[in-house]
Amino acid sequence: RADQYPLSHKQVALLLKIEDEQDNPRPKVVAVGNLGALVLMLQHAKQHLKFPKFRMRRDENGGEVVVSLAGERGANPGWVYVKSEGGYHESTYYGKINPHTGEYFPTREAPTDVGSALVKFADDPAGVASDYGRLSGNCCFCMHSLKDERSTTVGYGPECAKHYALPWGTK
């Protein structure tokens, strides 16, 4: 009887989606902690920059995560979006963080170590920023090369320090 009533393309696509969800269950929500300081920092930078963001390493192999604020007119205004490195069309969306509860909602595409990188950031944002600067030689905000020891120590340059309302230049 199956050949008498063939499935439509939409029905086949739905069955494939259901099968994929069974094979690849949705990742669990991760409590990453208080990201209030990050949200305030990105909100302050929004006064100076169109798309403020912060980069951090997610593993020792050089994998990076980019975090940014969702737009005010989007589906989740004020939430923190987490993506892979790369341009607008080249990056992979890893999930979102509720800034009020500190819960990270990963996507199926998110590597498992993203949650632990976000927890580490919530525990020590300054340490994560300086690690990024020391290891990459680039600013954790704008990706420009860090040219002096003070910038490398804090993980960002003097211009980004102004934009993100952060201290710079003291040892």
Side-chain angles (χ1 to χ4, degrees):
R1 289 214 155 237
D3 58 343
Q4 189 177 7
Y5 301 104
L7 296 175
S8 70
H9 292 294
K10 287 184 178 182
Q11 290 170 322
V12 170
L14 177 62
L15 289 174
L16 290 172
K17 181 178 179 186
I18 291 170
E19 181 183 36
D20 181 56
E21 288 175 0
Q22 292 295 318
D23 294 341
N24 303 307
R26 186 169 292 280
K28 301 221 183 310
V29 173
V30 177
V32 296
N34 185 353
L35 296 176
L38 173 67
V39 171
L40 289 174
M41 192 172 59
L42 291 170
Q43 287 172 341
H44 185 273
K46 188 86 173 137
Q47 298 170 22
H48 308 279
L49 305 168
K50 193 169 186 176
F51 301 109
K53 54 186 79 131
F54 178 84
R55 288 169 187 79
M56 68 179 127
R57 297 174 72 83
R58 66 174 173 82
D59 62 28
E60 56 279 340
N61 297 324
E64 294 184 8
V65 174
V66 179
V67 295
S68 60
L69 282 180
E72 292 302 315
R73 290 183 279 183
N76 303 295
W79 284 47
V80 178
Y81 284 167
V82 183
K83 297 190 280 185
S84 69
E85 56 192 320
Y88 183 76
H89 295 289
E90 293 86 32
S91 63
T92 301
Y93 176 66
Y94 288 158
K96 61 188 175 188
I97 303 168
N98 181 330
H100 307 293
T101 64
E103 293 177 312
Y104 166 55
F105 298 87
T107 63
R108 286 186 182 89
E109 292 80 20
T112 55
D113 57 3
V114 171
S116 58
L118 293 168
V119 168
K120 184 177 176 184
F121 175 81
D123 290 343
D124 184 16
V128 169
S130 68
D131 284 350
Y132 186 88
R134 273 194 311 280
L135 294 170
S136 71
N138 297 316
C139 175
C140 60
F141 300 112
C142 69
M143 290 296 293
H144 285 119
S145 292
L146 299 174
K147 303 211 184 310
D148 69 20
E149 184 182 337
R150 294 172 295 182
S151 297
T152 307
T153 300
V154 295
Y156 48 85
E159 195 65 28
C160 285
K162 287 182 213 166
H163 291 160
Y164 288 85
L166 296 168
W168 184 87
T170 58
K171 290 188 177 189

